[in-house]
Amino acid sequence: MTPAALADLVRAVAVDVLTGRDLDTAALPAAATVERPRNPDHGDYATNLALQVAKKLGVPPRDLAGWLAEALTGRDGISAADVAGPGFINLRIAADAQGDIVRQVLTQGETYGHGDLMAGRRINLEFVSANPTGPLHLGGTRWAAVGDALGRVLTAQGGEVTREYYFNDAGAQIDRFVRSLLAAARGEAPPEDGYAGSYLSDVAAEVLRREPSALSLPDEERAELFREIGVNLMFDEIKQDLHNFRTDFDVYFHEDSLHKSGSVEKLVEQLKEKGHLYFEDNAWWLRTTEFGDDKDRVVIKSDGAPAYIAGDIAYFHDKRARGFDLCIYMLGADHHGYIARLKAAAAALEDDPDTVEVLIGQMVNLVSDGKPMRMSKRSGTIVTMNDLVDSVGVDAARYALTRSSANATIDIDLDLWSRRTNDNPVFYVQYAHARLASLARNAAELGLAVPGKDTALDLDLLDHPREGDLIRTIGEYPEILHKAADLREPHRIARYLEELASAYHKFYDACRILPMGDEEAGPLHTARLALCEATRQLLANGLGLLGVDAPERM
């Protein structure tokens, strides 16, 4: 019996109890809350349902708790229900019902815990979208890990997810990049507002290798050539780095296509006609203050050129035209104003602002030898994805970046994350999986097959306290996955895996799994092997959602 199933049972019993006493069932919450008590002596789970609703019903909380406990006692899966304190109900789960969680994992395998929270939703998940003006910095790297993990989590909850990269190949930043490339090609210092780093020399040299006469071309033609080749080279490198980081995209959408197709101009004219824009100071403005922005935003500048938000409006319109009913944008810490801006764009198009969802990620700092890393040898100005991966590897990098809420600034200690010890969180979790894989190999050497979904099992034999702790931890996974998708917080998966690994290690230290010496294997050994296989499967499932390997050996 999982916590979710127990919560459903508690509420169903509450409905029966209230109905039998002519009390209003409308006082009950949509879902009952059940939690594991801090002190295991108090039971396997506890619920505060009586405390929640007693006042609304006009009955003493302990009386209501007593009625509920009496009705719960003897129900399938419940071995005991007792009233505690002012009206809590402590619950103990029957061993066979608890063991059924193990059977569910063995039966469902990779899909255990999957749900239908996002079923029927077509989701456009846009993340990274770094300008192709240099190597990926740590902010983009964080979104590569978190965004990819979030896509996996939403898919596991039934969503139809399209991962999209918005390729910024238009605007002032690209112009600065081109000027910086030209300076590098001439052996000059970068312009005052340009980019710095040895990568510029590498890109410029490749442009000249492909087009040896590029510097002798007329100014406009020369700039266009460096723009076309240089941007493509930089973007190819970014895509390859992302692929090596196990982050791939379904769609690479070019910003420039919105301008060349006339989509931006067409939508701006429509907004003017419908009165959603106003003209002031020789520019056209969108009333974004109506949606919480601190000021209205210019859509068409005084020189007639479109501002960035003009492209954002056209881009959102394009996403909706492609049939997406939820558009998630994952943006950096300096883009907080885009929340109101993008919702205003949706409203101006007479669409539902709730189809827009903006997630903001905070900064990442690398620390080595107790000191922060300030810049990359190659980029010259920033620390990059490859700096992190070269230091700790892809698994540790992805895990470190997804382990904390994206809303929090994080420091990644390179010394910690490169260690092969249990104080390194990813090693701790991966080691648990490798230990379980090793156990399965040892069992095979003894002639014991790893139990599967069709294996006859006496799971009610799993009544040791450490077995119970491990099983209940396994049972919490479906709710963890549901919340990770609902709240857009894949870090919940990482933290859960650490709890699962801890529960397993404690179980392993307390319970002998394989027969020793001349001892014959019995039903308890088989049941414990089944519990181990369920744990291994769940560790692999969770690591897979984070895009992290589940090694068989370490």
Side-chain angles (χ1 to χ4, degrees), residues 125-130 135-151 165 241-242 245-247 249 330-334 359-366 383-386 388-389 394 396-412 417 488-492 494-495 545-546:
L125 179 62
E126 184 212 324
F127 60 106
V128 182
S129 298
L136 274 177
H137 56 71
L138 286 182
T141 306
R142 185 177 197 179
W143 274 145
V146 175
D148 183 62
L150 178 58
Y165 190 116
D241 287 345
L242 285 167
F245 197 61
R246 305 174 193 151
T247 300
F249 291 84
M330 304 180 74
L331 306 176
D334 56 343
L359 307 180
I360 300 295
Q362 297 300 322
M363 299 292 291
V364 181
N365 303 305
L366 294 192
V383 181
T384 68
M385 168 187 280
N386 289 335
L388 175 58
V389 171
V394 173
R398 286 186 66 109
Y399 195 97
L401 291 166
T402 54
R403 185 175 181 260
S404 299
S405 169
N407 291 325
T409 298
I410 55 174
D411 293 330
I412 296 180
W417 287 94
R488 319 293 191 246
E489 293 180 343
H491 73 273
R492 290 174 177 267
R495 298 296 178 144
L545 289 178
L546 301 179

Side-chain angles (χ1 to χ4, degrees), residues 96-162:
D96 57 345
Q98 188 166 258
D100 190 58
I101 293 173
V102 175
R103 196 182 305 279
Q104 290 180 36
V105 179
L106 298 180
T107 300
Q108 297 171 26
E110 293 181 358
T111 64
Y112 176 74
H114 288 200
D116 58 2
L117 173 68
M118 307 303 293
R121 304 293 301 273
R122 290 199 62 206
I123 304 165
N124 184 283
L125 179 62
E126 184 212 324
F127 60 106
V128 182
S129 298
N131 292 322
T133 55
L136 274 177
H137 56 71
L138 286 182
T141 306
R142 185 177 197 179
W143 274 145
V146 175
D148 183 62
L150 178 58
R152 296 170 192 241
V153 166
L154 294 174
T155 299
Q157 284 293 317
E160 183 183 339
V161 180
T162 294

Side-chain angles (χ1 to χ4, degrees), residues 83-98:
V83 179
F88 292 100
I89 304 172
N90 291 333
L91 301 163
R92 293 196 180 276
I93 309 302
D96 57 345
Q98 188 166 258

Side-chain angles (χ1 to χ4, degrees), residues 11-260:
R11 192 182 188 283
V13 167
V15 170
D16 291 344
V17 167
L18 297 190
T19 301
R21 293 177 178 272
D22 292 327
L23 296 172
D24 188 5
T25 59
L28 293 171
T33 298
V34 295
E35 297 178 334
R36 293 172 66 181
R38 293 181 180 179
N39 186 345
D41 291 339
H42 294 166
D44 299 327
Y45 295 97
T47 180
N48 64 348
L49 184 61
L51 290 168
Q52 279 184 284
V53 302
K55 186 175 181 180
K56 297 177 184 177
L57 297 172
V59 298
R62 278 190 62 90
D63 288 353
L64 178 56
W67 301 335
L68 293 174
E70 182 180 2
L72 282 163
T73 301
R75 288 290 185 114
D76 287 345
I78 305 294
S79 65
D82 302 302
V83 179
F88 292 100
I89 304 172
N90 291 333
L91 301 163
R92 293 196 180 276
I93 309 302
D96 57 345
Q98 188 166 258
D100 190 58
I101 293 173
V102 175
R103 196 182 305 279
Q104 290 180 36
V105 179
L106 298 180
T107 300
Q108 297 171 26
E110 293 181 358
T111 64
Y112 176 74
H114 288 200
D116 58 2
L117 173 68
M118 307 303 293
R121 304 293 301 273
R122 290 199 62 206
I123 304 165
N124 184 283
L125 179 62
E126 184 212 324
F127 60 106
V128 182
S129 298
N131 292 322
T133 55
L136 274 177
H137 56 71
L138 286 182
T141 306
R142 185 177 197 179
W143 274 145
V146 175
D148 183 62
L150 178 58
R152 296 170 192 241
V153 166
L154 294 174
T155 299
Q157 284 293 317
E160 183 183 339
V161 180
T162 294
R163 293 166 174 80
E164 187 152 315
Y165 190 116
Y166 188 48
F167 182 21
N168 299 102
D169 51 355
Q173 289 178 317
I174 297 297
D175 293 338
R176 288 166 52 203
F177 175 64
V178 172
R179 291 196 299 272
S180 302
L181 275 184
L182 285 167
R186 298 188 185 107
E188 301 171 354
E192 187 175 336
D193 64 344
Y195 297 94
S198 63
Y199 76 93
L200 287 162
S201 298
D202 297 338
V203 175
E206 180 60 21
V207 174
L208 292 176
R209 189 190 69 79
R210 296 185 183 192
E211 298 289 342
S213 62
L215 289 177
S216 63
L217 295 172
D219 290 353
E220 187 173 332
E221 189 175 342
R222 180 175 62 240
E224 183 56 36
L225 181 68
F226 271 82
R227 178 190 303 272
E228 180 181 354
I229 298 177
V231 167
N232 285 335
L233 286 170
M234 199 71 255
F235 195 50
D236 286 345
E237 180 178 322
I238 289 172
K239 286 195 284 188
Q240 185 60 53
D241 287 345
L242 285 167
H243 176 73
N244 295 340
F245 197 61
R246 305 174 193 151
T247 300
D248 294 295
F249 291 84
D250 303 302
V251 174
Y252 292 95
F253 192 98
H254 289 252
E255 177 189 6
D256 195 42
S257 68
L258 296 169
H259 297 276
K260 289 181 177 179

